[in-house]
Amino acid sequence: IIGSISCVYSVQAWQFYLARLIQAIGAGSGAVISLAIIRDSFEHEERLYYLGLISTVMGFAPLVAPIFGGRIVQFYEWQYIFAVLAIVGILSFILVMIIDESHKELATVSMKELYQNTAQIISHKMFILPAVVNALAFATMFIYISGSPHLLLGLFKITPSKFGFYFAGNALAVIIGNFIALRLTKIFSSEQVQLSASFLAFVGAVALILLSHN
């Protein structure tokens, strides 16, 4: 909420980037919390199903958001986009206050213990290695997100209202990928699915490197 409101009133580039960083921390925590609730609420097999389901739902956000944002810019100033996000943040905050804590034991954990547990987790190889792989995979998507406006809007002169439709291909790929992974977990183990997906990501990364040097 603070980040979105700060974006509205930013007058210099560094202020806008700082506001976007704050906004990203808040938005990122929301995605993590939703996955943590599933982790707390379901056992292994059910958990995989609902994780795939919510990831598919999350895939609709990059599909809808650019189209919706393009419409806002078409009729209003760009600041209205962040005003809408601030309202979404307020509604999310209200919902968080309403729902029950899914991890009951956290009510008795102090902030000091929470930070100590976090430090142990991020230093453990069983966490850090999959996290790095996942981060590198997502990095390619965010490179596209940051570079595509310059390429499509600046170089190819595509209108903001049409930008979302060009952007939709990646969102559809995320949705389809999650749907396929969800189906594959019923046939193969989650480790096999993760290994296969990582291999495909590696092949894709090599292809992108080769294409970028042509």
Side-chain angles (χ1 to χ4, degrees), residues 81-202:
I81 292 177
F82 297 100
V84 171
L85 291 175
I87 295 172
V88 172
I90 293 170
L91 294 175
S92 299
F93 181 80
I94 294 172
L95 290 173
V96 167
M97 299 301 293
I98 293 175
I99 63 175
D100 294 328
E101 171 61 61
S102 60
H103 199 311
K104 302 299 183 182
E105 296 178 1
L106 282 181
T108 61
V109 175
S110 66
M111 290 301 296
K112 181 180 179 180
E113 290 177 303
L114 192 60
Y115 286 127
Q116 289 175 342
N117 292 341
T118 302
Q120 290 179 357
I121 290 172
I122 62 177
S123 62
H124 201 291
K125 68 177 183 179
M126 289 194 68
F127 168 81
I128 196 67
L129 292 177
V132 169
V133 171
N134 193 50
L136 291 173
F138 268 96
T140 58
M141 184 180 73
F142 283 104
I143 289 171
Y144 175 80
I145 290 173
S146 62
S148 59
H150 170 72
L151 181 67
L152 297 176
L153 299 176
L155 188 61
F156 292 105
K157 307 300 180 183
I158 293 171
T159 62
S161 60
K162 293 181 179 179
F163 173 73
F165 293 99
Y166 286 89
F167 199 86
N170 290 275
L172 287 173
V174 172
I175 296 170
I176 294 170
N178 282 312
F179 178 79
I180 293 174
L182 189 63
R183 294 298 179 183
L184 289 177
T185 53
K186 298 182 180 297
I187 305 173
F188 306 100
S189 67
S190 58
E191 290 79 11
Q192 290 174 318
V193 174
Q194 290 173 5
L195 184 62
S196 300
S198 298
F199 176 75
L200 289 175
F202 172 76

Side-chain angles (χ1 to χ4, degrees), residues 65-82 84 153 158-163:
I67 299 174
F68 186 61
R71 293 298 180 185
I72 293 176
V73 174
Q74 187 176 4
F75 298 104
Y76 306 99
E77 297 294 330
W78 62 267
Q79 289 90 341
Y80 280 84
I81 292 177
F82 297 100
V84 171
L153 299 176
I158 293 171
T159 62
S161 60
K162 293 181 179 179
F163 173 73

